[in-house]
Amino acid sequence: MFARSVFSGPLRALGVRLLTPPPPPGDRLADGYLTELDRLSGEHGPLLVGGISFGAHLSAEWAVRNPGRCTGLLAALPAWNGPAGRAPASLAARLSADLVAGNGVDGALAKSSDGVPDWLSTELGRAWRRHGEGLVASLRTAASHPAPSLEDLKGLDVPAGIGACVDDPIHPVEVARVWADALPRAEVGESTLTALGADRESLGRATVLAWLKARNR
């Protein structure tokens, strides 16, 4: 999965074990993920949590709810804070849900691939197919679920690495910087989509390095 390809190498270099549970199906995507983090924390103790895009939102939401069970946050490509509103990533997820509902996964992928780099189209297809028949509901859940508010983030006093790609219009770098400004102990690590296409771990390294800087402040 994409999160594993991004984070496995950088975390392995630090001796940190990576756990990547599969996405809960359909409209349980958000609540199911939060429940899974509860389970993992009960099994393994305090967690360094993280994710990419919507996964970053959910990891931060869980951390805000469970500060005593969280040792840090790795949030790559956050897309908005608070209600989604007309955030580009929310609009993209809504459009994707409509395309899949009307054209099936293969048809939607064909329509979504015009002008998209091959690596991104491949990753999109892999991610969508993992959701199975619940894909449309998953996309709509991701599009509408609120991210932590800036006020929420201000109360999360754990080291946080916020990863951004400065050339990503769907996950604007300004959102990453706003998150980092709100969090008491956070740094931003920047990369590019071009680098990510050539080396998935480039985003993971930027995010993990930012977390290390925040931890050592």
Side-chain angles (χ1 to χ4, degrees):
M1 67 183 297
F2 189 57
R4 180 168 290 279
S5 67
V6 167
F7 284 113
S8 60
L11 290 177
R12 185 170 58 249
L14 298 178
V16 176
R17 180 185 178 193
L18 177 63
L19 302 172
T20 52
D27 58 9
R28 292 204 65 252
L29 180 64
D31 291 343
Y33 186 79
L34 295 170
T35 299
E36 178 65 10
L37 287 176
D38 285 339
R39 186 191 70 78
L40 290 172
S41 176
E43 181 177 339
H44 299 282
L47 302 174
L48 168 62
V49 294
I52 302 167
S53 189
F54 188 55
H57 294 189
L58 293 177
S59 296
E61 180 178 342
W62 185 86
V64 165
R65 293 183 184 182
N66 301 273
R69 295 196 282 169
C70 179
T71 62
L73 174 66
L74 300 172
L77 307 183
W80 63 81
N81 51 271
R86 296 187 61 79
S90 175
L91 296 176
R94 293 176 194 275
L95 175 60
S96 296
D98 291 343
L99 283 174
V100 174
N103 302 274
V105 172
D106 289 337
L109 285 169
K111 291 177 180 290
S112 300
S113 297
D114 280 348
V116 173
D118 288 345
W119 72 266
L120 185 54
S121 179
T122 298
E123 294 290 355
L124 189 64
R126 184 179 295 118
W128 280 9
R129 290 189 173 93
R130 292 183 76 234
H131 287 271
E133 294 181 358
L135 175 60
V136 171
S138 293
L139 287 167
R140 288 182 173 149
T141 297
S144 61
H145 190 80
S149 69
L150 296 183
E151 197 63 32
D152 290 334
L153 295 176
K154 287 177 182 178
L156 181 58
D157 191 15
V158 299
I162 314 298
C165 288
V166 297
D167 54 350
D168 185 348
I170 302 298
H171 306 89
V173 65
E174 291 78 13
V175 174
R177 292 169 180 163
V178 166
W179 274 47
D181 286 343
L183 287 157
R185 300 169 61 194
E187 296 283 346
V188 176
E190 296 181 1
S191 186
T192 66
L193 289 178
T194 301
L196 184 58
D199 175 12
R200 304 294 184 269
E201 292 183 358
S202 60
L203 177 60
R205 287 193 297 272
T207 308
V208 170
L209 180 58
W211 172 68
L212 289 172
K213 289 179 178 178
R215 192 180 65 170
N216 294 329
R217 266 174 32 178

